[in-house]
Amino acid sequence: MEDDLRILGCELMNTAGILLKLPSTAMATAQVLFHRFFFAKSFVKHNYEHVAMACIALASKIEEEPRRIRDVVNVFHYIKQVSDGVKNVQPIVLDQNYVNLKNSVIKAERRILKELGFCVHVKHPHKMIVTYLQVLECEKNTTLVQRSWNYVNDSLRTSVFCQYTPETVACACIYLAARELKIPLPNNPHWFMVFGVCESDIRTICRKILKLYLRPKMSYRELEAKVNQVREKLNEERVKNRQPTGQQDAGGEENTVSASQPGSPANEVKKVKAEQTSDHSGKENHVNRKRRSQTHSSSDGGGGGSPANKHRRSPPKSYKKEGRRSRSRSPPRDDKRRHRRDDSAKYGRRRSRSREKYKQSRSRSGERKKHRHHRHHNGHRRSSSVEYRRI
């Protein structure tokens, strides 16, 4: 089924590329990215159609022929209607389903880039076919060139490009086309050994390409139905694995004793654990109380307590009530006033002299201000003020 889904996705991308008028390199790049992604991810968990749309949009950007996601979605919608045999093809309705589909394609494109590590460069063997035929001097045989080119395009539907180098794929296509047209190629030594290719790899690639023509064609409806069946089975298994162990089987018998019963061993274990935790917490509280009492006794100056606690400083009891004043070691206000009185008795003469000098300076400055104000209003100039001072 995986091979059928790979072939179906590549056919959709090839048809969409033709309708979008993309170059052949862009279509080939999209198919290689499709194979690379599904080598790491499952067809059940990821919708192949959304991934195919994302590969087309991404390949068009890589090959510098960008197409809008809206156009890609419309083309895939058209291809589905034609494959179903609808005569009157109608455009897609621009509703919420269309918006969700467009967003899912954008998310799939990001997922592809993340899974591939942004390594999206693809080396195609198309140019190598022409080069190798020129070396073999068979480039004038157009039928051989065209037939080998067609085999390369058909090999894109297989996983050959993810398993072998492009040089090996090009030699295999030339080998298959020459055998079918019965055109002799150099055998002594073999021509493909010049290009560093092994004969066993060429034969395995040829078998994979020929199997494509023997495979019966399957409709995408049947493949989608099979994928949905597998998806439903996986979801049922997940639900069964998430169920707890105490639930009933299909026959109606219980596997284990439920923990809700009063005499169950699970409840007895819980009781024992609860008792142990309560005893442990009670012991810890008793030890903490002893330590607090020892610290308080050592701070009060008592003889109790360990010698280490004697040197430990504890804050006073009145610290929180008094506030900042309790921190300072200065005396209270009454003592401060007493000290001030003593200082005034000792140094009273000096203070009185300094006060008199201060008053005299204040009176002089006041007189100067008055004279300036008077001069300003009477219109006297600066020179007159100087003369007034001399007088």
Side-chain angles (χ1 to χ4, degrees), residues 52-72:
M53 293 181 194
C55 288
I56 280 285
L58 183 59
S60 65
K61 296 173 187 176
I62 293 167
E63 301 297 335
E64 298 181 358
E65 292 286 340
R67 297 290 185 273
R68 293 179 296 184
I69 294 175
R70 181 178 68 184
D71 298 336
V72 175

Side-chain angles (χ1 to χ4, degrees), residues 223-239:
L223 291 173
E224 286 180 356
K226 289 182 180 180
V227 172
N228 290 329
Q229 289 178 2
V230 175
R231 192 177 291 132
E232 288 176 359
K233 288 181 181 178
L234 288 175
N235 291 331
E236 289 176 359
E237 290 178 359
R238 287 176 186 172
V239 172

Side-chain angles (χ1 to χ4, degrees), residues 273-291:
K273 286 183 179 179
E275 291 175 358
Q276 290 178 358
T277 52
S278 63
D279 295 339
H280 186 65
S281 62
K283 289 180 182 178
E284 286 183 351
N285 293 329
H286 184 65
V287 171
N288 291 330
R289 288 172 189 168
K290 279 188 175 181
R291 287 178 181 173

Side-chain angles (χ1 to χ4, degrees), residues 372-386:
R372 287 173 188 172
H373 184 71
H374 182 70
R375 277 185 269 123
H376 178 71
H377 284 284
N378 292 333
H380 291 285
R381 294 181 180 177
R382 191 169 184 180
S383 61
S384 63
S385 66
V386 174

Side-chain angles (χ1 to χ4, degrees), residues 300-316:
D300 295 336
S306 62
N309 291 327
K310 289 182 180 180
H311 299 286
R312 186 182 296 170
R313 291 184 180 181
S314 61

Side-chain angles (χ1 to χ4, degrees), residues 67-93:
R67 297 290 185 273
R68 293 179 296 184
I69 294 175
R70 181 178 68 184
D71 298 336
V72 175
V73 172
N74 290 331
V75 164
F76 271 80
H77 180 71
Y78 173 80
I79 293 167
K80 274 183 117 178
Q81 287 183 333
V82 171
S83 61
D84 289 337
V86 178
K87 294 181 179 179
N88 297 325
V89 179
Q90 296 179 357
I92 190 170
V93 181

Side-chain angles (χ1 to χ4, degrees), residues 3 14 46 56 81 97 117 123 133 144 149 151 153 159 165 177 181 192 194 221 227 293 298-299 323 356 374:
D3 295 335
N14 198 9
H46 301 276
I56 280 285
Q81 287 183 333
N97 294 327
K123 191 177 180 181
L133 290 173
L144 178 62
W149 191 279
Y151 281 134
N153 290 331
S159 59
T165 59
L181 296 172
F192 45 80
V194 178
R221 295 288 184 187
V227 172
S293 63
S298 63
S299 64
E356 289 175 0
H374 182 70

